[in-house]
Amino acid sequence: MSNESLQQIKKVILLDKVGSVLAIFLILGFFPPLLMIGIFGLLLKCFARIGAQTRDYYLKDEEQKLYNNICEIFQLLKTSNNIWRVISQDYYDYKNEIVKKLPIKIVEKSPFFLRTNIKIYGLLFEKNKMYFLPEGILLLYSNDIQLISYTNVKAICKTCKIIEKDNISKDATVVDMAWEKSNRDGSPDLRFKTNRRVPVCEYLEIDLTVKPYNGKCNIIVSNLSLLARIKEDLGVVSSIMLTDLNSEKLIIELDDGDPLFEDVSRFIIKNQKVSTVLLQHNYGINYNRANRLIEEMQEKGIISPYQENEGRRVLVPSDMVVEFKRLENNK
């Protein structure tokens, strides 16, 4: 999607907003001038929809595989009773205080300003909107709009524990009980006579990070049982997101991890097998280091999460050209 297309979408959205404001005057329709303003507002909203862009997608195999996995993640998320965005930064230590959660709405249709031949999924939270297109994430915030390439998005799936004061979701997993008012060691704060025990729930957490803007979005999902399936889908998506879909090259960014990571990754991709025993035998390292390397390869999308009775799969084909790129801020 070009900059011209984004600017056109921005104008259509602005036209729709102005039309919505003017359409409010229909409430005061018993005054003819105000009635005309309201009708004009409705006409602007109609023109906004007429000006919507039409995009027909004809995806290649790898692009279709990427988008199918993204759609499957959204289909799984829709089965959860609740999805939130957490805006507190210290919720990992659930003994301190209850966090603030803002509901996230999932939509499965194209926005009014874009007509497509495929189903589009989106996340709506506060005043921001994220639409997941085959070529990237269309991000709408404030009065701006940007298309973020999937190669600039990092997704990590994990678990988190949150203390719940009010009613909990039906599909929530309660793992502990805590005092509503507690000391640092978790014991009850005796200054509060009405102190009570409240449940601590373990949730699925998906962290989305947009690299160029260092923006983060923490998505909390009440249904913890979705963890394994979403992790596997994210593993497939991650491996493709790092790939230039118009070539047979995979670019893997290196951070300040284990110095053996590149050699181990090439070895695993070449042999299409992975296990801690294999790494220990070939590199003479202990179990803990081998396990950390495996976890890092999973995070980079090189291998899949562990599955019972299946183990792990290597997601990168052995015949693919792999380039390891060190981040600029690292030595």
Side-chain angles (χ1 to χ4, degrees), residues 196-224:
R196 61 179 179 136
R197 300 273 281 176
V198 289
V200 178
C201 296
E202 188 170 14
Y203 294 127
L204 163 61
E205 177 182 356
I206 302 174
D207 290 347
L208 289 180
T209 303
V210 182
K211 297 176 187 176
Y213 310 98
N214 202 26
K216 292 186 178 182
C217 177
N218 301 87
I219 301 173
I220 306 296
V221 183
S222 62
N223 191 348
L224 184 62

Side-chain angles (χ1 to χ4, degrees), residues 77-91:
L77 291 177
K78 283 181 68 67
T79 65
S80 180
N81 282 7
N82 287 288
I83 301 177
W84 311 279
R85 177 170 179 257
V86 170
I87 60 175
S88 174
Q89 297 300 317
D90 57 354
Y91 61 94

Side-chain angles (χ1 to χ4, degrees), residues 48-282:
R49 281 148 181 77
I50 292 173
Q53 287 194 26
T54 300
R55 293 183 67 82
D56 290 331
Y57 290 99
Y58 302 98
L59 306 178
K60 300 177 183 177
D61 290 343
E62 283 299 300
E63 293 172 324
Q64 188 67 60
K65 184 179 178 182
L66 167 67
Y67 198 64
N68 286 346
N69 277 271
I70 291 174
C71 291
E72 185 174 340
I73 290 173
F74 277 102
Q75 289 163 8
L76 289 171
L77 291 177
K78 283 181 68 67
T79 65
S80 180
N81 282 7
N82 287 288
I83 301 177
W84 311 279
R85 177 170 179 257
V86 170
I87 60 175
S88 174
Q89 297 300 317
D90 57 354
Y91 61 94
Y92 293 102
D93 184 5
Y94 60 80
K95 295 183 179 65
N96 285 339
E97 59 177 285
I98 300 169
V99 301
K100 184 176 181 181
K101 296 180 296 188
L102 301 176
I104 293 178
K105 181 180 179 182
I106 296 179
V107 294
E108 51 179 325
K109 63 179 181 179
S110 299
F112 74 89
F113 52 80
L114 187 64
R115 288 189 287 266
T116 67
N117 60 335
I118 60 175
K119 183 182 290 186
I120 300 295
Y121 286 92
L123 296 177
L124 312 183
F125 49 92
E126 298 174 280
K127 296 182 180 179
N128 301 325
K129 299 177 182 179
M130 300 172 69
Y131 293 100
F132 290 75
L133 308 177
E135 68 266 41
I137 299 176
L138 193 63
L139 178 61
L140 285 75
Y141 58 97
S142 299
N143 293 319
D144 201 4
I145 180 171
Q146 293 193 30
L147 181 68
I148 311 297
S149 170
Y150 286 120
T151 57
N152 289 323
V153 179
K154 184 178 181 181
I156 298 177
C157 191
K158 53 186 179 181
T159 63
C160 67
K161 294 177 182 178
I162 298 179
I163 187 171
E164 296 289 9
K165 181 179 179 181
D166 302 316
N167 296 330
I168 63 175
S169 300
K170 293 181 179 179
D171 56 355
T173 303
V174 179
V175 294
D176 199 358
M177 297 296 290
W179 292 100
E180 184 177 358
K181 305 294 183 181
S182 63
N183 299 314
R184 288 185 178 274
D185 61 357
S187 60
D189 192 333
L190 300 178
R191 294 175 300 173
F192 299 90
K193 294 182 179 180
T194 58
N195 205 355
R196 61 179 179 136
R197 300 273 281 176
V198 289
V200 178
C201 296
E202 188 170 14
Y203 294 127
L204 163 61
E205 177 182 356
I206 302 174
D207 290 347
L208 289 180
T209 303
V210 182
K211 297 176 187 176
Y213 310 98
N214 202 26
K216 292 186 178 182
C217 177
N218 301 87
I219 301 173
I220 306 296
V221 183
S222 62
N223 191 348
L224 184 62
S225 65
L226 300 176
L227 175 63
R229 295 178 64 187
I230 291 181
K231 241 183 178 181
E232 183 174 6
D233 282 330
L234 279 178
V236 176
V237 170
S238 296
S239 65
I240 302 175
M241 284 195 305
L242 294 171
T243 307
D244 181 353
L245 295 177
N246 295 318
S247 69
E248 294 300 321
K249 179 188 288 187
L250 173 68
I251 300 175
I252 299 176
E253 294 182 344
L254 295 178
D255 46 29
D256 293 325
D258 196 305
L260 277 179
F261 179 76
E262 181 176 346
D263 289 340
V264 169
S265 299
R266 292 190 183 280
F267 174 77
I268 293 301
I269 293 171
K270 179 180 178 181
N271 291 275
Q272 293 291 295
K273 294 180 181 178
V274 58
S275 70
T276 53
V277 175
L278 185 65
L279 298 188
Q280 286 178 271
H281 176 74
N282 284 274

